[in-house]
Amino acid sequence: MPYSILQIDPYLAPYSRDIDLRMEQYHRTRRRLVGDGESLAEFANGHNYFGIHPTADGWIYREWAPGADRLFLTGDFNEWDLFGCPLQRLDNGVFEVCIPRRDSLQIGQKIQLIVQRGEETLRRIPAYATRVVQDPTTYLWCAEIDDALWGNFDWKDKDFRPAATPFIYECHIGMATEEYRVGTYREFTRQILPRIKALGYNTIQIMAVAEHPYYGSFGYQVSNFFAPSSRYGTARELKELINAAHRLGIAVLLDVVHSHAIKNENEGLSRLDGTEYQYFHQGTRGHHPAWDTRLFDYGKHEVLHFLLSNLKYWLEVFHFDGFRFDGVTSMLYHDHGLGSAFTDYSMYFSSNTDTEAVAYLQLANELVHSVKPNAITVAEDMSGMPGMCLPLETGGIGFDYRLSMGVPDLWIRYLKDRRDEEWDMGQLWYELTNRRPAEKNIGYCESHDQALVGDKTILFRLCDAAMYTAMRRDSNHPDIDRGVALHKMIRLLTATLAGEGYLTFMGNEFGHPEWIDFPREGNNWSYHYCRRQWSLAEDDSLRYGLLRAFDKAMVGLIKKGRLLTRPAHCQWIHNDEKTMIYTKGNTVFAFNFHPEQSYEGYYLPVEKSGTYRVVLSTDQPEYGGFGRTDMTYRYHTQIVDGRPCLRCYLPARTAVILRKE
């Protein structure tokens, strides 16, 4: 059948059969999982069956381990007798044991799974473990009995709904403290959520929640998919955080990693039942060449059951409002997109495309939106796969947004390789506005990726060493003046052009200095670069607070005017003058990127005649500017060459927003 994606993007016409095959694969996989009657929401309940659960007269534990010969449960409850609690083998590789109340498990007790396969005896962690901790003496990781799945919790968010336009504050619980240590869920709830609310962001995207043995992986090498990281506290404390965020009107997205898993066998899923191919592909296809991790077999029924159940678990048990799916490009292609420029449509539909992974992503989006209709799903895809953010019924993959991943790369190239005088206004407009028709994007100029060790935040790249000595408000330094000015302009341009939503990483709104480097052997296990120095923005003698104030004003203005829901119309680009003028309804954006030249009596083309006034300027003193913009003057349109224009003063390195009264 013809899908409307072909009308939305006519360039797909030669690939109509490929779209048909995409949808046939999705429907075939769905029928294989649930038949014609059962819904995906009814199917994705693995967390309610597998793992450890209380019963009327004891406990029951189940594990899927088809390659194992025998399974045993051991732990504190039986004084670590490795073979004293055997599981019975059922059908389809499922094992089960009932533990009577007289020999019952207790909350807080540690357990492990013992797997026998042939001559091997293996220590493993249950796949559906909801809490995993590291023993402080032996450093071994163990599951711990926890009530995250079935314990009572007093939720207060029944009527909460995410905002229609997401302003996302990307964050990491552990490094959200200013102290030299790992922060906690409760500290984040008390200290960081109020900051986010005050800034005007309505969504947080939390990284590194699922348990991961190596802290320095930033949470991207997951070992235990159902266990919130014990580094930050308990599952109950994570629920308290989400409950509190909802009370503040803040949606909470989970940065979910279903693109790969840690290769560690004692801590994760790799060879859980003694085979290489239980959850993952066998051989080279099961190993990521760049990340040194294991790759899921999305064609296997039980793997889909595990991953889909994982999504439903986070939605229902913890009340997350959706997901940012990490590593989508890696999932979509057999070569993981490594070294591919994706310059031709044929590259999206070649034999390199992993159609089983595409079907999983479609199923995942169907499930998420059926369990929570207002949920938000965001794809981290740099390839630009057509239809990524179109509904399934159109022939799409079903995400709500994709990240505008090319935009931060664009800014890095400009800041590293081009003098200010060489910035191309036409290219900036094209790169910031070019996206697939009818597909929504999250715009951003820097996320956590741009601040990792070996790279620099935008402000640090602009100011470099001068940040250590010249960030006082009473000091004068050309690098700081330039950096502060461009930091605001880059953010404003990106926020208003690069997407239908906006994202920043915590601390970057005020130009957090230096980089992010997790404690590791190479830095003597230091936390110096693995924290957020909030006090910089709260010190009235420094300029960081001025940048934070601008970010708050920018977000507030965009939200109030619903500017991300309005298309941008370019009225004027002049590369020699380094100016760019565009409008969104009654709002006019005027950028002068010239490092030296201010323009007196500059004509700004607008859509409608009338009286306009400045509602925001990057040059306002309260935002670290020089006060060259008159915030009180009313501008009246004049007809120039048959179109309405405003005659304004446009200072160098300044952006001005005017709105029709």
Side-chain angles (χ1 to χ4, degrees):
M1 63 170 289
Y3 290 94
S4 60
I5 187 175
L6 302 174
Q7 285 71 53
I8 294 170
D9 187 352
Y11 289 104
L12 286 171
Y15 307 97
S16 61
R17 181 56 186 152
D18 295 282
I19 298 296
D20 289 340
L21 291 173
R22 169 195 286 182
M23 300 310 297
E24 289 170 9
Q25 175 82 22
Y26 156 70
H27 288 296
R28 184 167 56 251
T29 305
R30 193 184 190 284
R31 283 194 299 270
R32 178 163 56 88
L33 296 180
V34 301
D36 295 323
E38 187 180 7
S39 70
L40 282 178
E42 293 170 328
F43 167 76
N45 284 319
H47 51 292
N48 293 327
Y49 180 79
F50 291 107
I52 295 176
H53 300 274
T55 64
D57 57 353
W59 301 78
I60 191 165
Y61 167 55
R62 299 187 187 96
E63 192 74 55
W64 175 65
D69 295 327
R70 301 183 71 191
L71 297 185
F72 304 87
L73 189 66
T74 187
D76 294 331
F77 74 100
N78 69 352
E79 298 182 344
W80 294 94
D81 180 352
L82 295 189
F83 308 112
C85 184
L87 278 69
Q88 177 186 0
R89 189 180 192 112
L90 308 179
D91 295 333
N92 302 316
V94 176
F95 290 77
E96 175 184 279
V97 63
C98 296
I99 304 174
R101 178 68 64 183
R102 63 180 179 271
D103 193 23
S104 64
L105 300 166
Q106 300 292 324
I107 301 298
Q109 286 186 331
K110 295 179 177 60
I111 59 167
Q112 283 189 333
L113 176 66
I114 303 300
V115 179
Q116 286 189 331
R117 174 177 166 84
E119 300 299 317
E120 288 188 296
T121 298
L122 310 169
R123 286 183 176 268
R124 296 290 186 258
I125 294 175
Y128 286 80
T130 58
R131 181 170 172 83
V132 178
V133 298
Q134 187 176 30
D135 187 279
T137 303
T138 66
Y139 297 103
L140 293 175
W141 289 81
C142 303
E144 189 172 87
I145 305 302
D146 178 59
D147 67 349
L149 189 59
W150 31 263
N152 294 323
F153 185 80
D154 186 19
W155 289 102
K156 301 291 187 182
D157 60 353
K158 180 180 178 181
D159 297 324
F160 175 77
R161 299 290 183 274
T165 300
F167 288 81
I168 302 174
Y169 200 78
E170 185 186 33
C171 49
H172 184 286
I173 303 296
M175 60 179 293
T177 177
E178 189 155 352
E179 299 178 27
Y180 296 90
R181 57 175 176 80
V182 178
T184 68
Y185 296 123
R186 283 189 166 166
E187 288 171 331
F188 190 94
T189 302
R190 292 193 306 266
Q191 300 168 14
I192 311 305
L193 282 180
R195 284 188 170 97
I196 297 169
K197 175 67 175 178
L199 285 168
Y201 289 86
N202 57 29
T203 307
I204 57 175
Q205 176 181 299
I206 309 182
M207 309 171 60
V209 170
E211 192 60 83
H212 47 291
Y214 181 45
Y215 189 47
S217 75
F218 228 143
Y220 291 119
Q221 293 190 6
V222 174
S223 54
N224 314 103
F225 286 78
F226 290 83
S229 180
S230 59
R231 287 185 179 88
Y232 319 132
T234 66
R236 179 171 292 274
E237 290 162 353
L238 174 57
K239 291 179 179 180
E240 291 170 355
L241 187 162
I242 297 170
N243 216 16
H246 288 167
R247 287 198 299 272
L248 292 171
I250 298 173
V252 187
L253 305 184
L254 176 65
D255 197 349
V256 73
V257 185
H258 283 183
S259 48
H260 62 133
I262 197 167
K263 71 176 184 178
N264 299 30
E265 296 178 4
N266 291 334
E267 294 90 359
L269 295 174
S270 188
R271 292 189 72 239
L272 186 140
D273 70 349
T275 68
E276 185 184 24
Y277 50 81
Q278 181 187 3
Y279 284 97
F280 308 105
H281 286 293
Q282 193 170 14
T284 56
R285 189 180 176 189
H287 294 266
H288 198 292
W291 299 341
D292 195 24
T293 50
R294 301 301 314 277
L295 298 173
F296 287 105
D297 182 351
Y298 301 108
K300 188 175 286 187
H301 177 111
E302 294 84 358
V303 173
L304 295 176
H305 188 227
F306 178 84
L307 295 174
L308 293 172
S309 298
N310 188 236
L311 297 176
K312 186 179 179 184
Y313 167 78
W314 291 115
L315 290 173
E316 289 199 336
V317 176
F318 289 91
H319 288 207
F320 278 97
D321 299 295
F323 303 95
R324 179 263 204 184
F325 281 72
D326 174 69
V328 168
T329 304
S330 175
M331 300 170 68
L332 293 174
Y333 309 100
H334 293 301
D335 67 358
H336 313 298
L338 298 174
S340 297
F342 297 99
T343 55
D344 187 278
Y345 268 55
S346 64
M347 301 180 74
Y348 301 115
F349 304 106
S350 66
S351 59
N352 184 38
T353 303
D354 189 336
T355 57
E356 292 174 341
V358 174
Y360 165 65
L361 292 171
Q362 291 175 302
L363 293 167
N365 278 290
E366 179 189 349
L367 171 74
V368 169
H369 292 108
S370 65
V371 172
K372 185 170 282 194
N374 294 296
I376 300 168
T377 57
V378 182
E380 190 210 27
D381 171 37
M382 51 74 62
S383 75
M385 168 66 80
M388 180 66 68
C389 301
L390 291 177
L392 297 175
E393 59 268 21
T394 70
I397 297 177
F399 282 93
D400 297 302
Y401 299 89
R402 65 154 42 93
L403 291 173
S404 295
M405 297 185 68
V407 173
D409 293 339
L410 170 74
W411 287 122
I412 288 174
R413 291 196 306 271
Y414 266 57
L415 296 175
K416 286 177 61 176
D417 303 332
R418 297 195 183 196
R419 295 183 303 118
D420 295 4
E421 295 84 352
E422 298 171 344
W423 285 23
D424 188 326
M425 298 295 103
Q427 184 187 38
L428 285 176
W429 169 265
Y430 174 79
E431 295 290 349
L432 290 169
T433 59
N434 180 38
R435 40 192 177 269
R436 298 226 173 271
E439 300 193 38
K440 294 191 292 186
N441 282 36
I442 300 292
Y444 66 108
C445 49
E446 55 182 342
S447 67
H448 70 274
D449 285 325
Q450 284 68 50
L452 290 171
V453 64
D455 209 334
K456 298 178 180 179
T457 63
I458 283 179
L459 189 65
F460 197 39
R461 188 174 293 281
L462 284 164
C463 301
D464 209 45
M467 286 187 75
Y468 294 114
T469 58
M471 279 297 284
R472 292 186 60 83
R473 297 188 188 187
D474 57 3
S475 67
N476 294 304
H477 194 290
D479 290 346
I480 297 297
D481 291 342
R482 170 180 177 264
V484 167
L486 289 178
H487 188 269
K488 292 175 289 186
M489 295 181 73
I490 288 170
R491 282 176 142 62
L492 181 60
L493 191 69
T494 302
T496 53
L497 288 184
E500 291 70 33
Y502 178 67
L503 176 146
T504 192
F505 180 69
M506 64 177 186
N508 286 1
E509 74 278 0
F510 63 79
H512 200 285
E514 302 177 318
W515 47 83
I516 300 168
D517 189 12
F518 283 80
R520 55 188 172 86
E521 186 176 3
N523 63 17
N524 294 318
W525 305 103
S526 170
Y527 284 89
H528 179 79
Y529 297 108
C530 195
R531 59 197 181 98
R532 296 284 90 179
Q533 299 181 59
W534 307 106
S535 60
L536 294 175
E538 291 155 6
D539 187 337
D540 290 340
S541 69
L542 302 176
R543 301 197 196 192
Y544 297 101
L546 303 175
L547 293 176
R548 182 180 64 179
F550 175 79
D551 196 84
K552 177 180 179 179
M554 177 187 77
V555 170
L557 182 69
I558 294 172
K559 286 170 62 179
K560 183 178 180 180
R562 301 180 63 199
L563 296 177
L564 298 193
T565 66
R566 303 176 184 274
H569 300 286
C570 190
Q571 305 292 327
W572 181 259
I573 290 177
H574 200 299
N575 205 44
D576 291 340
E577 295 173 354
K578 300 304 173 198
T579 57
M580 184 189 307
I581 317 298
Y582 55 93
T583 59
K584 288 192 168 193
N586 291 333
T587 305
V588 188
F589 301 83
F591 286 78
N592 178 10
F593 278 98
H594 200 289
E596 299 172 348
Q597 184 65 55
S598 298
Y599 301 108
E600 185 74 49
Y602 201 84
Y603 283 103
L604 311 181
V606 299
E607 292 185 39
K608 299 179 181 180
S609 296
T611 301
Y612 289 73
R613 67 180 182 89
V614 177
V615 291
L616 183 67
S617 170
T618 60
D619 200 50
Q620 291 173 241
E622 60 265 40
Y623 307 137
F626 296 102
R628 295 168 295 175
T629 304
D630 189 341
M631 303 298 295
T632 63
Y633 189 78
R634 270 27 179 194
Y635 297 87
H636 304 284
T637 52
Q638 306 173 25
I639 302 301
V640 180
D641 294 332
R643 64 186 304 179
C645 293
L646 301 173
R647 192 168 182 266
C648 301
Y649 176 58
L650 199 54
R653 281 202 184 117
T654 296
V656 178
I657 302 177
L658 301 98
R659 181 171 293 160
K660 182 177 179 294
E661 291 186 338

